[in-house]
Amino acid sequence: MLETPRLILRRWRADDVVPMAAVNVDPQVMRWIGDGSVRDEQQTRRGIEAMEREWDSQGFGLFAVEIRSTGELAGFTGLSVPDFMPELLPAIEIGWRLGRAHWGQGLATEAAAAAVRFGFEDCGVGRIVSIAQLGNGASERIMTKLGMHPVRETVDPSCDRRVRVFELSSEQYVTATR
């Protein structure tokens, strides 16, 4: 578990499925994810189960993001292996997805910064990437705030959409946090 001034980043619980499904069923939230398809409760449950398996097998994963003051599930952030982009492997990706009610408040940046710190300082990761579909300026702004820089454009083979890949090395992270 990680804590920030406004958030708790933690492992997933069974009662997270319904609120996360509410995030995943929103077309505005999902427009930049894969082919833009929404995900129902059953798909969300399978996704959370997969996230938990990654924690168990890799020692890192995607955290459930909870609002400290209310206990509400806002979405997720964390680290994963971007298997959908074989050309980037081996790699660790930072990603996030928050419900619309939590947009525009700096919460995604706050959560992602904690996850990046966890990756570099606790997990010993040497490089973290992040992937945004072209046009997703909000995610690119978060990546820039995290100290990441663009390294290439390519196509996501899982959905045939163009993406921009950002990167941050542990050396760059250490230099920026001194």
Side-chain angles (χ1 to χ4, degrees):
M1 184 173 81
L2 306 176
E3 294 189 26
T4 71
R6 298 181 289 169
L7 305 169
I8 296 171
L9 282 62
R10 59 167 173 76
R11 297 280 298 263
W12 294 89
R13 302 185 304 235
D15 63 351
D16 292 327
V17 173
V18 171
M20 192 66 219
V23 172
N24 287 340
V25 77
D26 184 334
Q28 289 295 334
V29 171
M30 299 303 289
R31 69 184 164 166
W32 300 112
I33 310 298
D35 67 1
S37 297
V38 298
R39 298 184 185 142
D40 64 21
E41 190 172 316
Q42 195 171 38
Q43 291 166 311
T44 299
R45 183 181 323 283
R46 286 193 303 268
I48 289 173
E49 289 167 355
M51 290 181 220
E52 280 297 295
R53 283 192 303 275
E54 189 161 36
W55 272 105
D56 293 339
S57 67
Q58 301 286 344
F60 58 79
L62 295 170
F63 292 98
V65 175
E66 182 180 303
I67 305 296
R68 285 179 71 147
S69 62
T70 65
E72 177 186 3
L73 182 77
F76 69 72
T77 192
L79 306 173
S80 63
V81 176
D83 291 326
F84 66 97
M85 294 282 298
E87 72 183 80
L88 298 181
L89 298 177
I92 306 296
E93 177 190 16
I94 177 76
W96 49 84
R97 183 181 312 154
L98 299 183
R100 266 196 290 169
H102 304 290
W103 290 2
Q105 302 168 48
L107 296 174
T109 302
E110 184 176 325
V116 165
R117 185 172 45 255
F118 172 75
F120 287 130
E121 295 179 8
D122 297 327
C123 299
V125 172
R127 173 181 75 112
I128 295 176
V129 301
S130 196
I131 304 159
Q133 291 183 6
L134 296 188
N136 187 352
S139 280
E140 289 194 5
R141 282 188 294 281
I142 293 167
M143 294 170 192
T144 300
K145 289 176 186 177
L146 294 173
M148 304 184 97
H149 57 277
V151 292
R152 75 167 93 167
E153 287 186 16
T154 188
V155 173
D156 177 346
S158 71
C159 62
D160 205 32
R161 288 186 174 183
R162 295 212 41 87
V163 296
R164 187 168 291 126
V165 179
F166 283 66
E167 180 177 283
L168 181 64
S169 70
S170 60
E171 293 83 12
Q172 292 165 328
Y173 171 80
V174 168
T175 300
T177 56
R178 284 188 184 164

